[in-house]
Amino acid sequence: MDNETKMNTEKIRELFEKEKEKEKSGVLDVGSFIDENLSPSDAEKLKSAMKNPKLIKSILSSPQAQKFFEKFSDKGKNS
């Protein structure tokens, strides 16, 4: 990922908390959530990537993504 699309840990945690709140209320619309919480440029990049299943599979299976999931999952909060 280039520097323009990197997010700091605090921002990622903030987005996860917002997502959890919206999900609990039953009002989570992914497209709106992306538009409300990312810059227009980052939102467009993410939406474009989401339309490519092969790219998503490749990204999610990468070692970096696995570390990310572990760090931000409930399991990662215990460490």
Side-chain angles (χ1 to χ4, degrees), residues 7-67:
M7 300 176 83
N8 67 36
T9 302
E10 185 177 318
K11 179 66 175 176
I12 293 170
R13 286 194 194 281
E14 178 185 316
L15 288 173
F16 278 137
E17 289 305 315
K18 285 182 181 181
E19 180 272 337
K20 285 179 186 177
E21 289 172 21
K22 291 213 177 215
E23 188 174 50
K24 284 179 186 175
S25 70
V27 194
L28 180 61
D29 172 48
V30 175
S32 295
F33 186 83
I34 290 170
D35 290 336
E36 292 169 7
N37 293 286
L38 297 178
S39 70
S41 172
D42 287 345
E44 189 57 40
K45 289 175 189 175
L46 180 55
K47 287 178 182 177
S48 177
M50 289 171 49
K51 294 177 184 174
N52 184 338
K54 288 181 182 179
L55 176 61
I56 295 295
K57 185 175 182 177
S58 173
I59 291 169
L60 294 177
S61 63
S62 72
Q64 296 89 343
Q66 297 305 309
K67 287 179 186 178

